[in-house]
Amino acid sequence: MKLEKLENIDDWILYRSKRGKVTFSRQTLVADFSYLSEQTIKNNLRLLIKKGKIFPVFKGFYSVIPIDYALIGIIPPEFYIDDLMKHLKRPYYVSLLNAAMMYGAAHQKPQIFSVITSLPTMRDTNKRDTKISFISTRKVIPKKWIRSFRGENGDFYVSKPELTATDLITFQNEIGGINRACTVLYELMEVVKFGKLDKTFFDYVPTSTIQRLGYLLENELEQENQAEILFSKAKIHKCNFQLIPLKYNKHKIGFEVNTKWKIIINEIIEIDEI
């Protein structure tokens, strides 16, 4: 079947799917069916969504629903996230609890799929109980600290364990707070290797995150060796520690101070049972 002989959008989607193209943009569809009216294309898309053949991933971007997911009508974001971000021309990596889960450190599948990307800010999307949270960073995403994972529809990018660990602290409010972060860090540390850290890492990660993480590893998570390596690397790369609170949105007067990490200990850490 040649592309020019396709008479309807159903056949067009099937043709592409058989060739491994399981996502598409509205723009691509319109270009191939320029003789159809805007309303006709809109009606066709609505019908295909209603029939459970395609999933509206993002504004103007769709994914075919594979047979394995046909009954529930929902596709995991890992299936289409790389295609989506390429379509949007955005650098990205999957992070936080979703990344930790890849390394065996988050046993329950997170309800929110966390993606870190560049500015400008992107709106979160929530389609059929599938929520993607886009977290924007002003800094250039360091390729050295992300890696690819093989998914059902090709590779997608995920933060390496070291970057995942620091992101859990930097964006702790996105996952339920510092105690939740510590619970995940406890197991994530089995695969973290701070000895590999270099200038690119410390240029990207906030120094305040390094301080909080180091303090927690040494004093709350029984990871003194890891903390010492992190401390040594931070000094080598001239991280300038300033006095900061452990929990930044709480009072910081009248609390004990850890002089090594320059942390005001204004929060009691309670790690959940693993």
Side-chain angles (χ1 to χ4, degrees):
M1 185 184 295
K2 294 184 179 179
L3 183 58
E4 58 266 22
K5 291 184 178 181
L6 297 179
E7 296 182 355
N8 59 64
I9 294 174
D10 249 333
D11 289 343
W12 182 83
I13 290 173
L14 180 62
Y15 177 89
R16 288 169 55 88
S17 296
K18 287 181 177 179
R19 285 151 183 79
K21 297 180 180 180
V22 294
T23 61
F24 64 93
S25 68
R26 184 187 181 91
Q27 183 179 6
T28 302
L29 177 63
V30 168
D32 283 353
F33 288 90
S34 57
Y35 57 88
L36 294 179
S37 69
E38 182 180 343
Q39 189 61 48
T40 298
I41 288 177
K42 185 182 293 185
N43 291 342
N44 271 269
L45 289 172
R46 284 177 177 170
L47 183 60
L48 289 168
I49 291 170
K50 187 176 181 179
K51 287 182 176 180
K53 291 189 175 183
I54 63 173
F55 182 74
V57 171
F58 200 76
K59 185 178 181 180
F61 192 80
Y62 305 85
S63 174
V64 175
I65 299 179
I67 294 175
D68 291 348
Y69 300 101
L71 287 177
I72 57 175
I74 300 173
I75 318 168
E78 295 92 336
F79 186 83
Y80 52 75
I81 191 63
D82 190 70
D83 286 352
L84 171 62
M85 300 309 282
K86 283 177 180 175
H87 165 68
L88 297 173
K89 298 179 180 179
R90 292 287 199 110
Y92 81 96
Y93 62 91
V94 177
S95 186
L96 303 180
L97 299 179
N98 305 95
M101 187 175 65
M102 301 286 179
Y103 302 112
H107 300 295
Q108 293 182 343
K109 187 171 183 178
Q111 294 181 336
I112 298 175
F113 191 79
S114 300
V115 177
I116 292 181
T117 184
S118 58
L119 289 172
T121 301
M122 288 176 60
R123 287 185 179 181
D124 295 348
T125 178
N126 195 346
K127 305 280 188 179
R128 297 185 186 176
D129 298 324
T130 300
K131 182 175 182 180
I132 303 178
S133 174
F134 295 103
I135 304 166
S136 298
T137 174
R138 289 183 173 83
K139 296 185 177 181
V140 176
I141 293 174
K143 293 182 179 179
K144 183 172 183 177
W145 299 103
I146 60 177
R147 56 163 293 187
S148 61
F149 268 85
R150 174 65 65 178
E152 295 177 76
N153 181 36
D155 293 347
F156 60 96
Y157 293 114
V158 179
S159 54
K160 289 184 177 179
E162 296 75 23
L163 182 55
T164 302
T166 51
D167 280 345
L168 287 168
I169 298 299
T170 303
F171 305 109
Q172 57 187 262
N173 286 345
E174 299 286 335
I175 63 170
I178 196 168
N179 288 313
R180 181 77 185 280
C182 286
T183 300
V184 179
L185 281 168
Y186 185 82
E187 292 200 345
L188 182 63
M189 294 313 297
E190 293 183 11
V191 293
V192 168
K193 297 178 180 178
F194 286 138
K196 301 187 299 181
L197 302 186
D198 61 11
K199 187 176 185 298
T200 63
F201 187 86
F202 291 98
D203 283 346
Y204 181 73
V205 177
T207 297
S208 57
T209 291
I210 299 296
Q211 292 176 245
R212 290 185 176 106
L213 177 59
Y215 168 80
L216 291 168
L217 292 175
E218 184 169 326
N219 298 279
E220 301 289 349
L221 299 175
E222 301 176 348
Q223 294 284 338
E224 291 85 356
N225 290 339
Q226 290 274 39
E228 197 55 43
I229 295 171
L230 181 61
F231 186 80
S232 175
K233 287 286 184 177
K235 292 304 177 185
I236 290 172
H237 294 287
K238 303 186 184 333
C239 290
N240 183 23
F241 289 0
Q242 302 287 334
L243 188 64
I244 60 170
L246 180 58
K247 193 168 181 65
Y248 51 80
N249 57 352
K250 285 184 66 175
H251 293 296
K252 52 187 178 181
I253 304 299
F255 294 96
E256 183 182 349
V257 172
N258 179 280
T259 55
K260 178 179 179 179
W261 296 99
K262 293 190 177 180
I263 291 290
I264 300 169
I265 310 169
N266 66 338
E267 176 74 354
I268 297 174
I269 301 299
E270 297 178 356
I271 301 175
D272 296 338
E273 293 292 333
I274 302 297

